[in-house]
Amino acid sequence: MEHFADRLRAAPQSRLQRGAAAEALAAARELSRRAQLLEEPGTEPREMPDAGMFAVADQITVAGNDLAVVLTSEEQVAEAVGFVEEARKRAGV
């Protein structure tokens, strides 16, 4: 997750505009959704807002850290790590 965020921070604006930022926001929203479902079962998850392409690295970091706090098994951790890695690849960073 930190690697993904660092790559986003280092990416040129043109790459962010070509889809990296949108992919990162989608990943941050999914990480946030997963964390909320584990932390508050039975409640409707709130959607992470779009704070702009220059904020997506921070959004990935926050959402990933929130999820890491509530994971309870090695399988959940492995799944989350795999999800983040796939999102980084889709973002092209």
Side-chain angles (χ1 to χ4, degrees):
M1 169 194 51
E2 290 296 327
H3 178 69
F4 187 12
D6 288 343
R7 298 292 303 255
L8 288 165
R9 287 184 187 99
Q13 183 176 348
S14 60
R15 178 166 292 160
L16 295 173
Q17 289 172 324
R18 284 193 311 265
E23 184 61 48
L25 176 60
R29 284 177 169 167
E30 177 60 19
L31 293 171
S32 176
R33 186 189 73 79
R34 291 178 186 196
Q36 290 177 63
L37 289 173
L38 289 170
E39 195 169 39
E40 301 170 357
T43 62
E44 185 67 28
R46 297 162 306 281
E47 184 175 77
M48 180 176 279
D50 183 346
M53 71 177 150
F54 298 114
V56 294
D58 294 332
Q59 289 179 296
I60 282 286
T61 301
V62 169
N65 285 330
D66 285 351
L67 180 59
V69 168
V70 296
L71 295 177
T72 58
S73 71
E74 289 184 31
E75 293 86 22
Q76 289 175 327
V77 172
E79 181 183 351
V81 168
F83 173 79
V84 170
E85 182 58 24
E86 288 300 314
R88 185 194 63 75
K89 288 176 186 176
R90 286 190 303 272
V93 293

